[in-house]
């Protein structure tokens, strides 16, 4: 049986999967703790341990290439990691070090790209030509897949619409710029906006559920709908994807698939919107499945 192997490196867990080619039914799947606080070398050791475990548990030999999903990106010019929220990885030549340690090639992509690749090849956008995978959760990210291939871009930032400016002079973003999409559409940003209106802290779920009775919750969602349309229309005008898959906690909000789509249509450079905007199918598996699909 021909298989692909993927590793999803997260801040707290490392997950590994062995998938038969073209299938979303794993032959083997396991998770271990990242133990990120023990530093970069230790994280590499943990990945090596997981790959050895995958070999012994499955009775298969490791393949010549393994896909690795990471919380940041590889800078193509240098091979060094950047933009990782597991900060021990930043500035490190992880693809090179992993290749040496594992004795296989390691193809690295960020978690939004892995999400997009999984949904484009095995999930909600299977069979579509051009797919934009969006993660709207604690942050906002995105990945572009064209005919089954991830587009990394010359600087490793393709698809990073979360740091497009959406509100001029808006809230300061961790990236150093102001008014980024992420400062408006991420879950915590919606909660902050609600709190700015009421002085009260509510969960995203409460804000969504109470929109009928709570005018500030309603205003928060109306602003989300409007600015979601404005932010996403910029991506559509450039990439014109066939399908957009919305992941993350904010992507779960049903209104985005009705009023949100209308809002995108209002802002996009066309009289109608034929872009399909859909919910993901693979749930928590998208990250690790996408990592495995990097290795095809
Ligand atoms: Zn930013």
């Amino acid at each position: 049986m021909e298989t692909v192997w993927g590793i999803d490196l997260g801040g707290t867990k490392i997950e590994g999967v062995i998938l038969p080619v073209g299938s979303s039914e794993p032959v083997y799947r396991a998770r271990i703790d990242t133990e990120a606080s023990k530093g970069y070398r230790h994280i590499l050791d943990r990945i090596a341990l997981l790959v050895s475990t995958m070999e012994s548990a499955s009775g298969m030999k490791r393949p010549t290439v393994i896909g690795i999903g990471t919380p940041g990106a590889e800078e193509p010019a240098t091979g060094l990691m950047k933009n990782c929220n597991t900060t021990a990885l930043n500035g490190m030549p992880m693809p090179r070090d992993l290749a040496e340690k594992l004795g296989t090639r390691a193809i690295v992509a960020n978690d939004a790209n892995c999400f997009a690749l999984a949904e484009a090849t095995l999930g909600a956008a299977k069979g579509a030509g051009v797919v934009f995978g969006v993660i709207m959760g604690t942050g906002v990210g995105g990945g572009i897949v064209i005919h089954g291939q991830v587009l990394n871009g010359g600087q490793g930032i393709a698809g990073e619409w979360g740091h497009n400016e959406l509100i001029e002079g808006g809230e300061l973003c961790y990236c150093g710029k102001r008014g980024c999409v992420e400062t408006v559409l991420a879950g915590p940003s919606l909660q902050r906006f609600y709190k700015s209106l009421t002085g009260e802290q509510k969960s995203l779920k409460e804000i969504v559920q109470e929109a009928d009775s709570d005018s500030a919750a309603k205003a928060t969602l109306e602003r989300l709908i409007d600015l979601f349309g404005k932010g996403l229309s910029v991506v559509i005008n450039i990439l014109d994807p066939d399908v957009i898959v919305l992941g993350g906690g904010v992507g779960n909000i049903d209104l985005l698939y009705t009023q949100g789509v209308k809002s995108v249509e209002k802002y996009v450079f066309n009289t109608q919107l034929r872009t399909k905007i859909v919910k993901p199918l693979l749930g928590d598996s998208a990250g690790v499945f996408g990592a495995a699909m990097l290795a095809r």
Side-chain angles (χ1 to χ4, degrees), residues 1-5 16-21 23-30 54 57-60 289:
M1 179 180 20
E2 208 187 333
T3 58
V4 284
W5 292 35
V17 75
I18 303 175
L19 282 178
V21 170
S23 163
S24 52
E25 300 292 328
V27 177
Y28 180 74
R29 186 173 182 169
M54 288 162 73
S58 70
M60 294 176 182
F289 284 11

Side-chain angles (χ1 to χ4, degrees), residues 112-135:
N113 287 3
C114 289
F115 166 80
L117 181 58
E119 291 293 341
T121 52
L122 302 170
K126 191 174 174 177
V130 178
V131 177
F132 186 51
V134 168
I135 296 182

Side-chain angles (χ1 to χ4, degrees), residues 140 160-165 171-183:
V140 174
E160 293 293 357
W161 75 304
H163 300 278
N164 289 354
E165 184 184 87
E171 208 178 296
L172 185 65
C173 182
Y174 82 89
C175 76
K177 300 180 188 8
R178 283 193 176 274
C180 291
V181 166
E182 178 163 311
T183 67

Side-chain angles (χ1 to χ4, degrees), residues 53-70:
T53 308
M54 288 162 73
E55 270 189 328
S56 53
S58 70
M60 294 176 182
K61 276 245 157 281
R62 68 188 63 188
T64 54
V65 52
I66 295 181
I68 318 268
T70 69

Side-chain angles (χ1 to χ4, degrees), residues 13 15 50 60 141 147 180 184-185 217 265 267-268 271 290 296:
K13 297 274 179 196
E15 185 164 20
L50 180 57
M60 294 176 182
H147 302 297
C180 291
V184 182
L185 302 183
E265 187 164 33
Y267 284 108
V268 86
T271 49
R296 281 173 308 161

